[in-house]
Amino acid sequence: ADYAKVKLSDGTESDQVTILNVLKARDSYYRRGEKNRFYSFCRNNYVNNSTIQMVSDLRRNIARELSTIGYPNPTAPNTWYNRNGDGSLATLQSAIVAGVYPNVACRQAGAINFSTATNRKSKIHISSVNACKGQPLSKKSQMLEFIAYGEMVKGVAMYTMNMTTHLASALPILLLCGEFRIRPAAIIGETVEGVMGMSVLNVDDWIVFKCDKDIASSLAVLRKRLDIIFHRIVSNPSQGYDRLSRLDKNTLETLDCITKGAFLASPGRA
């Protein structure tokens, strides 16, 4: 069963994307009128067919509700707001962490367990694809790592997280999540030379990164523009997309470029 789960995940290290892959297989079988073959697919891959049907129904109901309140059809192809489709893992990771935040945890190099914003020590639930033997997140970390998760449950010894997704970069958190702040670097124990020309990026006083002040300033401007676009769209969803200026659309295209760039520049997984 673990082998089938890992195969369905297709190297994404994500339970959410694994479910998406199963839904894509379901849709393909159903379009061809081959429901019985999808039942066989579920049986061969240890997938609960009833659960997938429930998720598919939920997906359809949410799309209908979004359309009812004015948002364009989220499943419509060939639209600028759906330009990345479901094939970009960098985009999917960004969407997942933006949707589940503040359900994010991290671990330092050499650690096996994770820590949350409230300093709860936790581990990945055995039901997650990331807990399967051989998966990178099932072993000690070789570097700083972030994951997004769906729910945390208190176990006998510690908390466990289900529905987990590995994040190749923390950039989506900085640009899409929480309360963002920027300040000059002034870190105790460092020389003036060590912090000169540096700034600190901060999300909710938990996720903190030090970087070049010019890069930090550019990210802060981008984050501010993204916040404005988001509020403009949700305040009037029936007209939000149509009212976006060329600058707004350039801002969203910039978000695409840098999140995909950060994803591609992330260290390889082993």
Side-chain angles (χ1 to χ4, degrees):
D2 281 355
Y3 174 79
K5 191 185 302 182
V6 172
K7 186 177 180 181
L8 286 173
S9 73
D10 194 25
T12 61
E13 295 184 70
S14 171
D15 292 311
Q16 288 90 340
V17 179
T18 300
I19 293 175
L20 175 62
N21 291 341
V22 175
L23 286 171
K24 289 163 66 176
R26 174 205 175 274
D27 293 345
S28 179
Y29 282 117
Y30 272 55
R31 280 195 299 268
R32 300 196 302 265
E34 298 174 343
K35 293 183 180 180
N36 289 334
R37 289 193 62 189
F38 178 66
Y39 298 151
S40 298
F41 170 88
C42 290
R43 183 171 58 253
N44 294 337
N45 288 283
Y46 303 92
V47 173
N48 188 312
N49 175 66
S50 297
T51 299
I52 294 302
Q53 297 299 344
M54 181 183 67
V55 173
S56 180
D57 291 342
L58 181 62
R59 173 185 58 173
R60 183 178 62 252
N61 292 338
I62 291 175
R64 184 176 61 246
E65 290 298 323
L66 287 172
S67 297
T68 298
I69 62 176
Y71 287 99
N73 182 359
T75 63
N78 303 320
T79 53
W80 78 266
Y81 55 83
N82 208 17
R83 60 198 175 281
N84 291 306
D86 54 17
S88 168
L89 184 55
T91 302
L92 291 173
Q93 288 183 1
S94 298
I96 289 167
V97 71
V100 304
Y101 190 85
N103 290 4
V104 171
C106 69
R107 65 178 182 176
Q108 301 290 333
I112 187 68
N113 295 320
F114 291 82
S115 178
T116 68
T118 56
N119 205 30
R120 285 180 174 172
K121 301 301 178 183
S122 55
K123 62 181 181 180
I124 295 174
H125 193 272
I126 58 172
S127 65
S128 172
V129 66
N130 289 315
C132 295
K133 185 177 180 180
Q135 289 289 86
L137 291 177
S138 70
K139 300 176 287 188
K140 282 187 176 182
S141 174
Q142 302 300 310
M143 65 194 81
L144 176 66
E145 291 180 315
F146 288 89
I147 63 169
Y149 63 91
E151 185 181 23
M152 180 176 289
V153 179
K154 187 174 183 179
V156 176
M158 67 167 54
Y159 290 91
T160 58
M161 301 171 291
N162 62 20
M163 294 301 296
T164 61
T165 289
H166 168 254
L167 303 175
S169 167
L171 200 55
I173 303 176
L174 294 171
L175 293 176
L176 301 172
C177 302
E179 185 175 349
F180 177 87
R181 295 189 181 93
I182 179 174
R183 62 172 175 80
I187 301 175
I188 297 174
E190 291 198 30
T191 63
V192 173
E193 292 77 12
V195 296
M196 186 175 296
M198 306 296 286
S199 292
V200 172
L201 303 174
N202 180 317
V203 176
D204 291 337
D205 297 324
W206 176 51
I207 298 171
V208 180
F209 286 93
K210 184 176 73 171
C211 68
D212 178 85
K213 66 177 183 179
D214 292 333
I215 295 175
S217 178
S218 297
L219 289 174
V221 171
L222 178 58
R223 170 63 190 255
K224 181 64 175 179
R225 289 181 177 172
L226 290 170
D227 288 345
I228 292 172
I229 293 170
F230 174 79
H231 288 296
R232 183 178 300 158
I233 290 175
V234 298
S235 64
N236 192 349
S238 62
Q239 299 182 30
Y241 291 99
D242 296 331
R243 292 174 59 191
L244 290 183
S245 67
R246 184 65 257 173
L247 176 61
D248 292 336
K249 293 186 179 183
N250 286 343
T251 299
L252 294 176
E253 290 168 3
T254 300
L255 173 66
D256 288 345
C257 290
I258 64 173
T259 52
K260 289 176 182 178
F263 177 87
L264 293 173
S266 62
R269 306 289 287 165

